[in-house]
Amino acid sequence: MTNKTVRPILEMNAFDKQSPQTENVARRIANTGASSVLFYREPIEMVSAEGVWMTAKDGTRYLDFYNNVPCIGHSHPAVTAAVNKQIATLNTNTRYIVPIVDDYLEALKATFPKELSNVVLTCSGSEANDLAMRLACKHTNGTGFIVTESAYHGNTSLVTQVSPSALKNTSLPEHVIAIPPPAKKYYGDNIEQGFADQVQLAIEELKQRGIKVAALLFDSIFSSDGVFSEPEGFLSKAIEVIHQAGGLYIADEVQPGFARTGTSFWGFQNHNASPDIVTLGKPMGNGFPMAGVVTKPEYLDSFCADVGYFNTFGGNPVAAAAGLAVLKEIKDKNLQENARLMGDYLKAQLQSIAEQSDHIAEVRGSGLFLGIDICHPDSADKPDPEFTVNMIDQFREEHILIGAAGPDGSTLKLRPALCLTKTEADCFIDAFAKILKAS
Ligand SMILES: Cc1ncc(COP(=O)(O)O)c(C=O)c1O
């Protein structure tokens, strides 16, 4: 249990506003001020994208290994057609019956365990987590939350409090406890037991502070902590512990959801876990902003008896059209299986290159969600964030986009579109080998 300082997620691979600025960069910063969040030492101006590729203004085509939002590929024609058709026909809120919305809700629910039979659609993952937290507080009469040390769950006031990696200068509030992520370096070989013990300690610590626990809130692949998916099932004990204490388990699927891990459609399924509440977002509309909460009716019943929930844009028919197109494409093109095959291939190739390099401590992850730990050559236990940023810049020189994660920003995070081909995977593998060889 810690109040450890972690590197803010928005600072990773970020443009330094003190650096010289091109006209367009200066224009952006003049418009968005301190909230500007540009990537790279020299930001890139993008003009279009297709499949796993993005095209910059200077004509350079970049292989996008960063963005898990366009999960079926950038500018996908099926989503474009569905959105165009629906927006030209009808777009309104959920206070009318529009069957395409229920078509979507039913298609989405078919991917979940039966008991999770109610869905609330929102526009962002932050809104989804905000509602999930409120449901948990209402149901348990508790206010305490347990998260991981570098977690990020969104940007509302409530959700920022449970996002240690969003906090630059403040520490976590009293009702939030952050525990180390499920890594061997903290728990040795028995991650499942060690992690469950930390959850138990956190519950007791909250109790000592006079706070009743409301929920565990975990990203099912711990992406901002550095990507942790193994060993399969390691969350089960922690979930038993929270349930015994009367708290809920909220699975944040904003990052790993929609087939990315290859082995299952939802990240929590890799843990044989039964969440009480699941939150979704990012890839849900392949870039069309949509997100949601999937839960058991009883949690919504008691919450809605008090305040109810309405979201002007959440669950609009155009979002439903986009969401349906995404689900259909994943199924029709067997993209979950492609994620598994391409992910296994990438991981094996990268692991074999890593064996030849003293800059790589570990390659891990599941399907097309991989993490590569970058370390100092003298010790696998010494993270090297500077070398990581240099690698990100060198990948850019190789026309590949990639980002960082982890408490110090020393884990490369790989999340290409699920339609990745072997040729595209090979582009990344070759660049990885080249960059390490030159270092
Ligand atoms: C795990 C996780 N949960 C929630 C969110 C918030 O989603 P949004 O940015 O759509 O509000 C993010 C965003 O990065 C995330 O990574």
Side-chain angles (χ1 to χ4, degrees):
M1 244 175 305
T2 57
N3 227 335
K4 192 168 134 184
T5 314
V6 295
R7 183 137 184 241
I9 201 158
L10 288 176
E11 286 181 6
M12 292 179 197
N13 187 31
F15 173 69
D16 176 358
K17 295 186 196 80
Q18 307 311 320
S19 305
Q21 297 172 7
T22 62
E23 198 180 317
N24 281 348
V25 169
R27 182 179 175 209
R28 170 62 66 85
I29 291 171
N31 284 327
T32 57
S35 73
S36 138
V37 285
L38 293 166
F39 274 146
Y40 291 106
R41 288 170 181 165
E42 287 174 36
I44 309 176
E45 185 171 340
M46 293 295 184
V47 289
S48 64
E50 192 184 353
V52 193
W53 299 87
M54 298 187 80
T55 305
K57 193 181 174 196
D58 66 3
T60 308
R61 289 181 81 231
Y62 290 95
L63 181 63
D64 186 3
F65 257 63
Y66 175 78
N67 201 346
N68 60 342
V69 171
C71 64
I72 60 171
H74 283 279
S75 314
H76 196 283
V79 176
T80 309
V83 165
N84 278 344
K85 184 170 173 217
Q86 189 58 46
I87 205 162
T89 310
L90 171 68
N91 199 18
T92 184
N93 62 50
T94 45
R95 305 190 86 169
Y96 303 98
I97 297 290
V98 185
I100 195 169
V101 174
D102 293 285
D103 292 346
Y104 179 63
L105 294 173
E106 283 160 13
L108 183 68
K109 278 180 9 177
T111 66
F112 282 96
K114 277 211 165 46
E115 66 274 16
L116 298 172
S117 60
N118 281 178
V119 183
V120 180
L121 293 175
T122 63
C123 306
S124 71
S126 303
E127 284 180 336
N129 278 326
D130 193 285
L131 176 61
M133 289 175 69
R134 293 170 73 195
L135 293 179
C137 290
K138 173 69 187 162
H139 182 77
T140 60
N141 247 332
T143 52
F145 284 89
I146 301 167
V147 296
T148 44
E149 280 173 358
S150 299
Y152 180 77
H153 294 290
N155 61 18
T156 70
S157 173
L158 196 62
V159 175
T160 299
Q161 293 174 355
V162 293
S163 297
S165 77
L167 304 174
K168 294 188 182 173
N169 305 311
T170 44
S171 48
L172 291 173
E174 243 207 330
H175 67 281
V176 181
I177 292 198
I179 63 174
K184 269 196 210 133
K185 97 171 162 190
Y186 301 110
Y187 303 112
D189 284 334
N190 199 344
I191 292 180
E192 182 175 7
Q193 189 60 51
F195 200 60
D197 290 346
Q198 278 292 322
V199 170
Q200 184 65 52
L201 281 175
I203 292 168
E204 282 158 21
E205 171 67 29
L206 284 169
K207 221 186 262 171
Q208 276 178 15
R209 296 179 190 175
I211 293 165
K212 186 173 185 302
V213 72
L216 285 184
L217 170 56
F218 291 149
D219 166 350
S220 306
I221 200 157
F222 301 89
S223 41
S224 52
D225 282 286
V227 186
F228 297 98
S229 59
E230 290 151 333
E232 211 183 295
F234 72 77
L235 269 184
S236 317
K237 274 208 167 98
I239 295 161
E240 270 170 37
V241 169
I242 191 72
H243 281 154
Q244 273 160 16
L248 303 187
Y249 161 44
I250 304 171
D252 182 335
E253 291 286 335
V254 167
Q255 291 274 353
F258 292 92
R260 178 157 292 279
T261 65
T263 41
S264 63
F265 198 83
W266 302 110
F268 68 79
Q269 290 166 329
N270 295 324
H271 294 285
N272 305 318
S274 306
D276 300 293
I277 306 175
V278 184
T279 56
L280 323 172
K282 287 190 191 281
M284 198 167 181
N286 204 52
F288 192 92
M290 61 188 299
V293 175
V294 185
T295 189
K296 299 174 186 171
E298 60 261 38
Y299 304 144
L300 274 175
D301 286 347
S302 48
F303 179 79
C304 291
D306 258 9
V307 279
Y309 189 83
F310 174 67
N311 190 318
T312 299
F313 298 116
N316 69 70
V318 179
L324 270 172
V326 170
L327 289 178
K328 185 171 180 325
E329 181 74 5
I330 292 175
K331 193 168 172 210
D332 290 355
K333 300 282 164 61
N334 216 354
L335 293 182
Q336 182 176 320
E337 179 62 359
N338 192 58
R340 190 182 69 76
L341 290 173
M342 286 301 111
D344 285 354
Y345 173 68
L346 255 176
K347 190 164 148 186
Q349 297 295 312
L350 298 176
Q351 279 172 334
S352 111
I353 295 166
E355 277 166 23
Q356 318 298 317
S357 168
D358 44 16
H359 277 295
I360 309 297
E362 191 175 37
V363 179
R364 57 171 177 267
S366 178
L368 286 174
F369 210 136
L370 301 178
I372 306 176
D373 276 347
I374 310 300
C375 61
H376 278 280
D378 49 344
S379 165
D381 294 330
K382 253 205 232 164
D384 194 340
E386 248 170 69
F387 190 77
T388 313
V389 174
N390 285 336
M391 280 188 85
I392 290 172
D393 278 329
Q394 286 167 56
F395 270 113
R396 183 215 174 133
E397 298 295 310
E398 298 297 323
H399 304 163
I400 294 173
L401 306 172
I402 188 172
D408 345 77
S410 60
T411 304
L412 291 175
K413 189 171 60 174
L414 280 57
R415 303 172 303 186
L418 307 181
C419 54
L420 188 79
T421 62
K422 185 167 174 295
T423 310
E424 289 158 346
D426 283 332
C427 275
F428 185 88
I429 293 161
D430 292 347
F432 183 66
K434 183 174 166 190
I435 290 166
L436 287 177
K437 201 168 169 203
S439 67

